[in-house]
Amino acid sequence: MADAQLLTEVRALVGREYGRVYAWDEINAPMIRQWCEIMGVHNPLYTDAAVAANSAQDGLVAPPAMLQVWCMEGFHLNNYAPGSTTENPYEVLKVIEAYGYPSVVAVNSELSFERNLRPGEKLYYTTRLESVGDEKTTGLGTGFFVTLVMRYFVEHKSGDEAVGQLLFRVFKFRPATAPAAPAPTLTEQPTPVATRPKPGMSDDTRFFWEGCDAGKLLIQRCTQCHTLRHPPAPVCIECHSFDWDSVQASGRASLYSFVIMHYPQVAPFDHPNPIGLIELAEGVRLVAGLTGVTRDELHIGQALQLHFQTFDGELTLPMFRPAAE
């Protein structure tokens, strides 16, 4: 049962508004380009001024998902732009913690948008403690769901304009007590044998792993524009079609890049463990183990040949070794 004094202190904070946090910079094209590059976004409305000028947007816009990025503090903790508030919008978490709820985990984050942002605009946000739920018990422990809402504005001389908001919810909790470990028995237990971890399998990747079981390296192919893609994905990266089939790779490949894994040594892998970024003759790349070769024998561009290897009697993986001369 939650402490009555705790509930009184927490509820007194609900609804409190915290001051502005300003963006360091105006919305700008270099940051948009870097964000798109890192996130793998290829929309010309964000980076191609000529295309954007002839679109319904009538010029470049920033990716909506960047909304939170503009007002972040940067590399150093709490290094916010000049003029930003020094108030701590998370003070309610300190209050709850003082009553014996030391742990916190992010639960969900929801962005919503009023309109697109444009280069040259300057942002700030304010924070409101939206709610603190009743004490709940979950698998993690017992505590409180705390919800904050950050509202984002563009500064205008005629009056600031709301452009979006971020709802951020955390669970501040007292960890559940783990059950006591059973007392060891005098009977000596056999040491478990480490096996290769099995890959995650979904409806998008099932064809690939079933192909490996059959001794075939299958590459996903868009049936509309015939673009090959790997890793498998539900939609074509070129024409955005959802229709696809697969083609069998020839097995010819070259070594695009590689690493040698020395540490940590994890069973059941051999060490040093060479791992390659393999470029297939068909033009796509995949990561796979390298066999039958030492570090000194590896070089970029080296011709490789596919072979399948079965581990633990059930897991078949595509591996690569130097191609015969």
Side-chain angles (χ1 to χ4, degrees):
M1 191 72 177
D3 187 286
Q5 181 61 31
L6 165 61
L7 297 178
T8 298
E9 293 183 37
V10 163
R11 287 166 181 164
L13 292 173
V14 172
R16 178 172 176 179
E17 297 273 358
Y18 296 84
R20 298 182 179 186
V21 174
Y22 289 96
W24 277 99
D25 303 287
E26 295 178 345
I27 309 298
N28 64 86
M31 289 182 66
I32 292 173
R33 178 184 57 77
Q34 292 169 14
W35 187 90
C36 289
E37 182 178 346
I38 291 170
M39 301 301 291
V41 174
H42 306 287
N43 189 330
L45 295 180
Y46 306 147
T47 56
D48 191 321
V51 172
N54 294 312
S55 72
Q57 298 298 329
D58 195 28
L60 289 173
V61 295
M66 281 189 76
L67 179 65
Q68 185 185 9
V69 174
W70 299 107
C71 295
M72 285 184 170
E73 66 266 44
F75 184 75
H76 299 289
L77 184 65
N78 294 326
N79 182 31
Y80 292 102
S84 297
T85 182
T86 58
E87 297 175 305
N88 179 12
Y90 299 98
E91 64 174 325
V92 68
L93 302 185
K94 293 293 184 182
V95 174
I96 298 173
E97 185 171 322
Y99 284 83
Y101 301 83
S103 301
V104 64
V105 62
V107 178
N108 62 301
S109 177
E110 301 173 9
L111 282 170
S112 58
F113 317 101
E114 300 294 332
R115 67 163 175 84
N116 287 317
L117 300 174
R118 296 185 177 276
E121 294 182 323
K122 191 72 178 290
L123 281 179
Y124 69 85
Y125 73 83
T126 61
T127 303
R128 171 186 170 87
L129 177 57
E130 189 72 13
S131 65
V132 178
D134 295 332
E135 188 181 56
K136 301 288 186 182
T137 298
T138 72
L140 289 174
T142 300
F144 302 88
F145 287 94
V146 178
T147 303
L148 298 107
V149 173
M150 292 77 164
R151 299 185 64 212
Y152 288 79
F153 298 85
V154 166
E155 294 182 293
H156 291 302
K157 291 182 180 179
S158 58
D160 297 345
E161 176 188 6
V163 291
Q165 73 172 31
L166 167 66
L167 181 149
F168 185 61
R169 183 174 293 119
V170 299
F171 185 48
K172 188 68 173 168
F173 65 100
R174 180 188 298 122
T177 303
T185 64
L186 296 178
T187 303
E188 186 174 343
Q189 299 294 324
T191 302
V193 177
T195 59
R196 288 256 178 167
K198 295 181 180 179
M201 187 182 298
S202 68
D203 290 339
D204 294 324
T205 63
R206 192 178 313 279
F207 80 96
F208 178 83
W209 298 112
E210 290 177 348
C212 290
D213 289 340
K216 300 177 182 179
L217 182 59
L218 300 180
I219 309 172
Q220 195 175 42
R221 176 179 63 180
C222 174
T223 57
Q224 298 298 313
C225 68
H226 305 295
T227 297
L228 300 178
R229 61 183 186 260
H230 188 87
V235 63
C236 177
I237 58 177
E238 294 295 335
C239 72
H240 302 161
S241 171
F242 287 89
D243 299 325
W244 61 271
D245 59 8
S246 63
V247 296
Q248 183 175 351
S250 65
R252 299 187 303 275
S254 61
L255 187 59
Y256 187 85
S257 185
F258 67 92
V259 296
I260 307 295
M261 186 73 178
H262 293 275
Y263 185 84
Q265 295 190 3
V266 179
F269 298 94
D270 296 327
H271 294 84
N273 181 20
I275 303 168
L277 179 56
I278 313 299
E279 185 160 57
L280 299 178
E282 290 74 17
V284 298
R285 298 172 190 156
L286 75 161
V287 176
L290 299 168
T291 63
V293 64
T294 65
R295 165 64 184 88
D296 294 338
E297 296 169 331
L298 289 170
H299 60 269
I300 301 301
Q302 182 174 11
L304 301 174
Q305 181 63 45
L306 168 70
H307 76 104
F308 288 97
Q309 191 169 343
T310 300
F311 299 90
D312 310 316
E314 59 177 352
L315 176 61
T316 301
L317 297 177
M319 309 285 283
F320 286 83
R321 59 191 174 201
E325 295 293 339

